[in-house]
Amino acid sequence: MPYISVTALSHPGLRREHNEDSLVVGPWTLCGTVTENPQTMAFPLGRPLVVAVADGIGGQPAGEVASSLVVRRLGLFGPALDGEEAVRDALGMCNHAVYAAADRAPELSTMGTTVAGVVILEQELLVFNVGDSRVIEVGPAGNGDGGWAASDDTLHQLSVDDSPALPRGRRTTSIVTQALGGAPTFSAITPHVSTSPLTPGTRMLVCSDGLTDPVLDNEIDDILRAHDGGRAVFELWKAAMSAGGPDNVTIALVSVAG
């Protein structure tokens, strides 16, 4: 029977006082806390399954409140996310909810969050994002001993970064051009949403920029060539910590088994 496996971890990193990332996997949410070890869940393929990471905007108040609000709502909307229009509508409602919560409490003013994720349908994959959290299509896991040619491209970013153009020589930026909330007055969003066929063996990495900023693509690629499941997520987290752990890091590795 086809099924979906999701292995996830969330950690504050080495330089932040607390975790402003949140995660949703189907009905399960993890908000602003820490997982000591990767957690693995399995779901039957059929009903829509949402997997998403929300990264509270740093330097502004209550990022963890904004990110948790968004993933909890996506968890509630999840079973109804059966197409691109439904996903866009859900993200628009999340954006309104962040602003409404901020309007009710002055200490939450300008709170905001990015979000990126997938909705897995029986035969299709919906990919969505607002901001710079990422969804990356991953090639198959192997034994890491050269089973593929070194030139093989096994990572393919499916999300669209909402970031300004980078100066020559720069590979990352903390600036986002669009988020859920994040401004003193309401600002509408234009979510990035796409659809592709779902094939058995598909693996996707959904993560905050606490992974992709400090860890180079080729290192992420090497880890995911060599490992799958909990070992892969642990090694990705370890790579982020070895690179200084400059930010909260949340990782969900999604696999579709035939």
Side-chain angles (χ1 to χ4, degrees):
M1 179 179 179
Y3 69 95
I4 306 155
S5 174
V6 184
T7 302
L9 176 151
S10 188
H11 191 274
L14 301 178
R15 300 183 192 173
R16 304 292 189 187
E17 292 184 0
H18 61 283
N19 192 358
E20 296 189 347
D21 287 358
S22 295
L23 171 73
V24 59
V25 180
W28 183 78
T29 55
L30 182 70
C31 301
T33 56
V34 180
T35 48
E36 297 293 337
N37 297 292
Q39 307 292 309
T40 299
M41 292 151 279
F43 303 87
L45 184 63
R47 295 181 66 193
L49 178 74
V50 61
V51 180
V53 169
D55 179 356
I57 296 175
Q60 294 177 208
E64 70 281 4
V65 177
S67 67
S68 64
L69 187 157
V70 167
V71 299
R72 291 182 193 279
R73 285 181 174 262
L74 288 176
L76 292 173
F77 294 146
L81 299 179
D82 57 0
E84 290 189 17
E85 184 176 358
V87 172
R88 289 191 180 94
D89 288 347
L91 293 172
M93 286 186 279
C94 288
N95 188 41
H96 277 280
V98 172
Y99 278 105
D103 286 344
R104 291 192 296 269
E107 68 273 17
L108 302 181
S109 177
T110 73
M111 73 173 181
T113 183
T114 69
V115 67
V118 296
V119 180
I120 304 164
L121 306 178
E122 190 168 9
Q123 297 181 326
E124 293 180 321
L125 175 70
L126 305 174
V127 176
F128 62 88
N129 79 284
V130 177
D132 61 356
S133 292
R134 290 186 178 178
V135 178
I136 301 170
E137 185 178 26
V138 179
N143 57 17
D145 62 359
W148 298 278
S151 61
D152 283 355
D153 181 11
T154 60
L155 299 183
H156 177 217
Q157 184 173 330
L158 302 178
S159 55
V160 179
D161 288 345
D162 284 314
S163 301
L166 295 175
R168 186 176 181 85
R170 285 279 302 276
R171 54 176 291 272
T172 65
T173 177
S174 60
I175 300 171
V176 292
T177 55
Q178 152 166 264
L180 304 176
T185 58
F186 178 80
S187 178
I189 56 170
T190 304
H192 305 284
V193 187
S194 63
T195 305
S196 60
L198 184 69
T199 57
T202 294
R203 288 199 306 165
M204 290 152 292
L205 181 65
V206 183
C207 61
S208 60
D209 62 359
L211 173 68
T212 53
D213 277 0
V215 184
L216 296 174
D217 287 353
N218 63 344
E219 188 173 358
I220 294 174
D221 188 13
D222 288 345
I223 290 169
L224 291 172
R225 285 171 183 258
H227 305 294
D228 199 8
R231 179 64 186 274
V233 170
F234 176 79
E235 293 294 337
L236 290 171
W237 168 79
K238 190 167 72 171
M241 298 305 102
S242 297
D247 201 356
N248 307 151
V249 55
T250 299
I251 303 164
L253 183 61
V254 183
S255 302
V256 181

